[in-house]
Amino acid sequence: MAPPDLPLLERDREKAVLSAVIGELRSGRPALVTVTGQPGLGQNELLRWAAGQAKDGGVHVLSARATPAEHELRYGVVAQLLTPEDRDMASRLFVAPQRPGGLPGLNHLLTACRDRPTLLVVHDVQWLDPASLRWLEALARRLPRAPVALLTSTTGTAIDRPEWSVGTPLTGLASTIELALPPLTASGVAAAVRAVCGPADAAFTEYLAETTRGVPAVVHEVLHRFTRAGRAPRAEHVEHLRALTAEVVGDHAARALSELRDPVAVDVLRALAVCGDLLDFPLVCTLVGPHPVPEARLRAALGASGLLTTRGGSPSGHDAVVRARILEEMPAADRADLYARAARLAQRVAVADQGIAELLLRARPVGAPWAVDTLRRGFAAALRSGRRDRATAYLTRALDEPLRAEERGRVELQLASVQMVTAPVAAERRLHGLIRSADTRAGLRSQAVDLCILGGDTRAARLAQPAAPGTLGTAAAARAPDDAVPRAKRVGDAVKPSASRDRAVSGAATASGETAPDPASRNDSGHHLGNTGSADNDAIVSERHELIALLRVARFLRHDETCLDVHPAPALPEHSHSPAVAGVRAWEHAVAGVHLETSRRLARAAFAPDPGGRPPLVTPRLFACRALLLTDDGDEAEAHLATLLNEAHRQRAAIAIAHVLAVRADLHIRHGRPDAAARDLAAAEAELPLTRLHPLFVPYWASLNLVADLLNGRADRAREVASRPVPSLAEECATTAYLLFARGVLARSEDDPHRARAHFRACGRWMLHYGCVNPAVLPWRSLAAEAAHALGDDEEALRLAREELRLAARWGTRSAIGRAELSLAVVCGENRAEHFRAAVATLSESPARTAYTRAVLELASAESAEAGRRTALTLASRRSPTADGAAPGPHAGSTQGPPAPAGRPPGWGAPAPHGAAPHLRQRPPAGWPALSPAEHETALLAARGLGNREIAATLSVTTRAVELRLSGVYRKLRIRGREELRALSHGPEGG
């Protein structure tokens, strides 16, 4: 209990009452006082103080203490009271035979008290032995006949309380008082801290008051341990205080639990610790079973124990430390059984799913269908609140229940989808087991491989690599490992068609580019299905086609076919009704840059329902969306991505949500919406933190963040992303090309053509290595051409620009063709304005708004440069006429300078008339370099005379955004409005 030096803080009222009782006792008036309260409130300390006050006042004091060890000792407390009066009394009490109605020593005590007032002090009467209890009750009935006061303390944890504690009047002449001690207030705890530790921070005392609930014994024990550790009561030591408080509160709870004598009260206390606030007190009592103790007496005993708090008039659990101490004494089997019974009862009374799921977590398997359903609903609720660890615990517990094989597989798949974010290694092990054992008909193997690929595990596709057609007769054979299939058969089915397709993809710059049909796969999907027609064989073929599609995706993401133990991926079946095959075929056509309409048709087919009712896969549909991006069907791709996102949210698949958001960010960047891309990337990282992202996808995500930051004017963040190291595995995958391209774009924005060309060339090598020749994927050739042009290598620039234009024309989308025409216009030396006009006309009908904006600005610069040249020729002919009035010679136009570089407004940088004064030569204003890229573009369009709405439509932003950008331009250039901006752009001559 409390240390001996526990000060009686905030006990002035109680001390005043006891002083009055002692004063009346000296005058011969008897009294009966009971000091009660939960354990640790200082009842016994108050009794010791009263005993000292009585002795100092000349009152005779007899004291005793009841203990649990002497609970069965007859007259143990009476012996302690009477031994100071009669040394032989103890031996007579213990040895003498029990006589009915006998009260040994009571009359002698009452006779002696007539000559001197006596105070009897009995500590902890809840532990009185039955004989001593009868003796003291008899004394209480005789109090009016003697100047005796009975002062007792109790915690009130005993169900059977002494008669004088019930509150019924024994006589009308003796004062009966019950003092209930309250806990310390916040100011009392602060006073205790000052008394033990000295001045303290407010945060320190507030936390101590909250966690100890103001129990003096706990407060002082915590403070003494804290001071022994040599720490000061400061806010920075709250963590150490938290650990000490948990330890002391637990010890205090264990001692209080030991004072509960009645087994019914202990059982109810344990049931309350299990149920907490889920069930009402009467329902909790039913978990214990039939018992004779009235509910009111149970409430009083448990409330006095200090282990529970009262909410709404009913006892409820206090905190996790106390609950753990209450339950840790139970055998594990009994505890699990109690949780199971509580879960059943909570389910019958319709408690919330989350509460029942918490009970089931610690319960033994209940073997009822509602348990799994409740745990799965609790899983969904936990994910909604962001508690992924709790969600995985619910589904892990659901797997302990008896489940059908298909249902168990679905629960494992759902669990792995969350563990892909929280524990990817465990998720991969779970999915690999599912791939080896799942039934073909349910589609679980394909979904498991699909989820593995989203997590970056391309080995799973190899693990589930389908056998050759014709070797499978049953679902079990479909799950046979590769070694069970003859090597010659497997090579004949896989290597040969794969080699032909790989040659077609890597050499897609040729005119054909189309892959020859695969006879083996055509026979598999047509002849095999037509002959059998059974549901099982249909499921086997459908699963095989899905696994081939996923294997092709894994091969695209990471080439590992150079390993000796890895066989090449089979070719996709030409005739298949599988939406997964359609999605991957659409992507392969797109990266090869051939058959635009076929790719578009296949991408749309990827979102059709499966004829066999198999669940749709995420990865093939994502690649179908990316193919639609390359076919300029961005609006359609965005609608499908929204569908995928809603589906992933319904399934609570965080990793699928993250990948869908990343692809949608790619779409926003391609369509000139970098602010929307930044929002999607932030949401994707909230679902799947970068620390949990598989290295295969790190370059792709980094490239999206880099370009989005650059387009949003956050160059510092873009440089930080570009310099961030990537894992070594990330340098072995297809997505590395995206990061190389983004780094090249950053170097280009920093006017570093050497570094830009190196990055674009490396990107091109990587793209060709993975068979990607379509310039719509990444226009690395055109940007490398512009970098070469900036370095003076016009031959290479023209070669790359023309090659990109030829490949873009073969693919056929306006975005690809327009970007190629734009780059060709930049690097060519003749008819630049005509080339820019062609690029503007093409891009105006495409979704590539950023490229269109750049083409408009480049055209403006080119037209301004042409106008400047015409002005220069006219002035030269007027100022330097020949003698015969002939036209000027070839040197008259030698003042022609280079066109205005991109990034300057029309007219800025254009050559001034030959011979003009230096102050008439046009130069950008001093504040021009301080403009952000967004302000830069807006200023150029405003200088051309476009209105705010026209600028907003051109840049795909709001009118308010245009107004804010122009305000920044005016402030940085120190001008007042559009007129001065237009004047700056046209120069002092107005030309």
Side-chain angles (χ1 to χ4, degrees):
M1 303 303 290
D5 57 347
L6 175 67
L8 295 173
L9 293 171
E10 298 186 329
R11 297 293 182 256
D12 295 337
R13 181 183 67 87
E14 290 80 6
K15 290 193 289 186
V17 171
L18 293 177
S19 297
V21 168
I22 293 171
E24 291 183 351
L25 179 60
R26 286 199 300 266
S27 302
R29 286 189 289 272
L32 194 153
V33 181
T34 302
V35 181
T36 187
Q38 68 183 59
L41 291 182
Q43 298 94 315
N44 292 336
E45 184 70 19
L46 191 61
L47 263 62
R48 284 192 291 269
W49 177 87
Q53 292 294 109
K55 288 181 180 179
D56 294 342
V59 176
H60 185 54
V61 177
L62 299 176
S63 62
R65 177 188 293 273
T67 62
E70 297 181 355
H71 178 64
E72 301 299 329
L73 180 62
R74 186 163 58 103
Y75 291 121
V77 169
V78 175
Q80 296 180 50
L81 289 173
L82 300 183
T83 297
E85 301 296 319
D86 185 354
R87 295 185 179 276
D88 298 330
M89 179 60 69
S91 60
R92 292 198 301 271
L93 289 173
F94 300 149
V95 176
Q98 179 106 14
R99 291 184 299 173
L103 298 170
L106 180 57
N107 292 329
H108 178 73
L109 176 65
L110 293 174
T111 302
C113 291
R114 289 193 182 94
D115 298 331
R116 54 179 179 176
T118 302
L119 176 65
L120 300 181
V121 180
V122 181
H123 302 260
D124 298 327
V125 296
Q126 72 271 11
W127 294 112
L128 281 173
D129 61 275
S132 297
L133 177 60
R134 289 194 305 271
W135 194 93
L136 288 174
E137 287 177 346
L139 173 65
R141 287 192 295 269
R142 293 168 173 78
L143 282 181
R145 297 196 295 269
V148 177
L150 178 59
L151 177 59
T152 62
S153 68
T154 178
T155 59
T157 56
I159 292 180
D160 295 323
R161 302 180 64 190
E163 184 181 350
W164 66 83
S165 300
V166 177
T168 57
L170 297 175
T171 67
L173 300 177
S175 300
T176 303
I177 302 172
E178 182 171 350
L179 298 175
L181 300 184
L184 296 178
T185 62
S187 59
V189 174
V193 173
R194 288 193 299 271
V196 178
C197 304
D201 290 348
F204 184 91
T205 56
E206 288 174 5
Y207 179 80
L208 182 65
E210 179 183 356
T211 53
T212 61
R213 295 186 299 139
V215 178
V218 179
V219 170
H220 280 262
E221 180 64 24
V222 170
L223 292 176
H224 280 286
R225 294 190 187 186
F226 186 82
T227 54
R228 282 199 299 269
R231 298 179 183 270
R234 298 289 180 263
E236 58 267 21
H237 296 149
V238 168
E239 287 298 325
H240 180 67
L241 178 67
R242 179 178 289 110
L244 281 179
T245 303
E247 182 181 350
V248 174
V249 168
D251 295 342
H252 180 75
R255 287 193 297 267
L257 183 62
S258 66
E259 294 189 4
L260 282 175
R261 296 182 350 207
D262 196 285
V264 175
V266 174
D267 290 342
V268 173
L269 182 66
R270 289 171 175 171
L272 280 170
V274 166
C275 299
D277 299 330
L278 292 178
L279 300 176
D280 294 336
F281 188 73
L283 288 174
V284 173
C285 293
T286 62
L287 290 175
V288 179
H291 56 82
V293 182
E295 182 182 319
R297 293 170 65 185
L298 275 174
R299 288 176 184 267
L302 294 177
S305 68
L307 299 170
L308 303 171
T309 56
T310 300
R311 297 175 184 172
S314 297
S316 59
H318 178 228
D319 55 25
V321 175
V322 174
R323 285 197 297 269
R325 286 301 184 100
I326 292 172
L327 295 174
E328 68 182 4
E329 302 297 330
M330 295 182 68
D334 295 344
R335 186 166 56 246
D337 181 71
L338 178 59
Y339 272 106
R341 290 188 284 116
R344 286 196 188 95
L345 179 59
Q347 195 270 340
R348 285 200 299 270
V349 298
V351 172
D353 290 332
Q354 200 84 0
I356 303 175
E358 284 294 320
L359 295 175
L360 289 171
L361 276 183
R362 299 166 180 83
R364 58 170 174 75
V366 297
W370 61 263
V372 177
D373 296 338
T374 302
L375 287 167
R376 295 182 75 173
R377 290 194 296 268
F379 160 82
L383 282 185
R384 283 195 298 271
S385 60
R387 302 167 60 202
R388 285 176 177 161
D389 293 339
R390 211 59 175 171
T392 57
Y394 290 150
L395 283 192
T396 304
R397 170 63 183 82
L399 293 174
D400 294 336
E401 297 289 333
L403 296 169
R404 292 181 292 105
E406 182 178 342
E407 187 178 9
R408 180 174 295 277
R410 296 195 184 284
V411 172
E412 287 188 344
L413 192 68
Q414 196 173 22
L415 174 58
S417 69
V418 180
Q419 287 183 327
M420 273 295 181
V421 178
T422 59
V425 176
E428 288 180 7
R429 286 199 301 266
R430 190 178 301 279
L431 291 173
H432 287 184
L434 193 60
I435 291 169
R436 293 187 181 97
S437 62
D439 188 0
T440 298
R441 290 167 296 181
L444 294 178
R445 296 182 74 221
S446 301
Q447 292 183 80
V449 176
D450 183 34
L451 187 55
C452 282
I453 291 177
L454 289 176
D457 178 19
T458 57
R459 297 172 302 163
R462 297 289 178 189
L463 180 67
Q465 183 170 356
T471 63
L472 301 178
T474 64
R479 298 193 297 271
D482 291 348
D483 295 339
V485 182
R487 182 176 180 84
K489 188 77 172 177
R490 187 165 61 241
V491 172
D493 179 52
V495 176
K496 190 173 181 179
S498 178
S500 66
R501 175 166 292 279
D502 293 344
R503 284 194 300 271
V505 172
S506 60
T510 62
S512 62
E514 175 66 7
T515 306
D518 179 10
S521 58
R522 181 167 58 249
N523 179 53
D524 179 27
S525 59
H527 178 72
H528 183 72
L529 281 174
N531 287 343
T532 62
S534 67
D536 286 348
N537 285 334
D538 288 352
I540 292 171
V541 174
S542 297
E543 182 187 75
R544 180 176 185 273
H545 289 181
E546 289 176 347
L547 293 179
I548 290 175
L550 293 172
L551 187 58
R552 297 292 294 182
V553 172
R555 176 193 175 277
F556 174 77
L557 290 175
R558 183 184 180 193
H559 275 327
D560 53 4
E561 294 175 354
T562 57
C563 301
L564 295 179
D565 59 341
V566 176
H567 302 290
L572 288 169
E574 293 289 339
H575 303 284
S576 174
H577 299 292
S578 172
V581 172
V584 178
R585 279 178 58 80
W587 172 251
E588 290 193 350
H589 280 304
V591 297
V594 293
H595 307 297
L596 173 65
E597 290 302 326
T598 302
S599 178
R600 180 180 285 125
R601 175 179 54 81
L602 289 170
R604 290 167 178 167
F607 294 93
D610 187 89
R614 298 173 66 82
L617 304 179
V618 176
T619 304
R621 288 184 291 168
L622 275 180
F623 275 86
C625 287
R626 295 176 69 177
L628 288 174
L629 290 183
L630 303 183
T631 61
D632 277 0
D633 298 296
D635 293 339
E636 188 175 350
E638 190 168 7
H640 289 311
L641 287 172
T643 302
L644 281 173
L645 193 60
N646 292 334
E647 178 184 304
H649 276 297
R650 285 196 304 270
Q651 297 174 354
R652 311 296 172 188
I655 193 165
I657 294 172
H659 281 286
V660 173
L661 288 171
V663 174
R664 196 168 71 174
D666 193 351
L667 181 149
H668 289 318
I669 290 174
R670 290 175 181 271
H671 289 193
R673 300 192 292 265
D675 49 347
R679 288 193 297 270
D680 275 351
L681 289 172
E685 291 180 16
E687 294 288 340
L688 180 61
L690 292 178
T691 55
R692 296 289 188 179
L693 184 64
H694 194 276
L696 286 181
F697 302 112
V698 167
Y700 181 59
W701 285 42
S703 67
L704 296 176
N705 278 285
L706 193 157
V707 175
D709 287 336
L710 199 59
L711 294 177
N712 284 317
R714 295 191 287 265
D716 293 340
R717 287 182 55 178
R719 282 189 286 271
E720 179 186 352
V721 173
S723 62
R724 192 179 300 160
V726 296
S728 57
L729 182 60
E731 300 175 357
E732 305 173 9
C733 60
T735 59
T736 301
Y738 289 85
L739 183 57
L740 292 170
F741 183 84
R743 286 173 174 170
V745 172
L746 177 63
R748 183 170 177 268
S749 70
E750 295 175 343
D751 293 330
D752 189 348
H754 287 283
R755 188 159 52 93
R757 183 168 67 169
H759 283 309
F760 291 134
R761 283 176 170 176
C763 169
R765 288 192 295 270
W766 212 254
M767 296 289 284
L768 294 176
H769 173 68
Y770 280 86
C772 183
V773 295
N774 191 348
V777 180
L778 290 175
W780 62 269
R781 295 178 185 84
S782 60
L783 296 187
E786 294 184 26
H789 175 69
L791 294 173
D793 192 349
D794 292 336
E795 181 179 354
E796 180 187 3
L798 286 172
R799 178 181 61 81
L800 289 172
R802 286 168 180 162
E803 181 181 2
E804 172 140 335
L805 183 58
R806 178 174 57 83
L807 294 174
R810 190 188 67 180
W811 176 236
T813 60
R814 291 191 172 273
S815 294
I817 295 173
R819 280 193 294 260
E821 289 176 341
L822 176 60
S823 293
L824 182 61
V826 171
V827 302
C828 70
E830 299 178 354
N831 299 323
R832 298 180 72 251
E834 292 301 324
H835 285 296
F836 281 129
R837 290 189 186 97
V840 169
T842 304
L843 290 171
S844 64
E845 301 179 10
S846 78
R849 306 313 299 169
T850 302
Y852 171 69
T853 302
R854 184 190 170 210
V856 170
L857 299 177
E858 293 282 6
L859 175 60
S861 297
E863 289 176 342
S864 180
E866 284 189 351
R869 285 196 296 272
R870 288 195 296 268
T871 302
L873 289 173
T874 302
L875 291 176
S877 62
R878 291 176 181 175
R879 295 182 183 182
S880 303
T882 56
D884 54 359
H891 297 288
S894 62
T895 58
Q896 175 181 343
R904 294 186 180 182
W908 289 346
H914 183 69
H919 69 275
L920 294 180
R921 297 182 183 272
Q922 301 176 38
R923 296 184 179 88
W928 184 259
L931 300 183
S932 68
E935 294 171 339
H936 192 176
E937 293 177 347
T938 307
L940 294 176
L941 295 176
R944 290 194 64 208
L946 273 69
N948 286 359
R949 291 187 179 181
E950 295 173 303
I951 297 174
T954 302
L955 299 180
S956 298
V957 296
T958 63
T959 307
R960 178 59 177 165
V962 174
E963 294 173 354
L964 294 175
R965 291 179 184 181
L966 287 177
S967 298
V969 170
Y970 301 153
R971 185 180 66 256
K972 293 178 181 178
L973 297 182
R974 298 181 180 179
I975 59 179
R976 292 189 180 92
R978 284 177 178 269
E979 294 300 326
E980 295 187 28
L981 180 64
R982 204 171 289 119
L984 285 174
S985 67
H986 292 301
E989 295 292 332

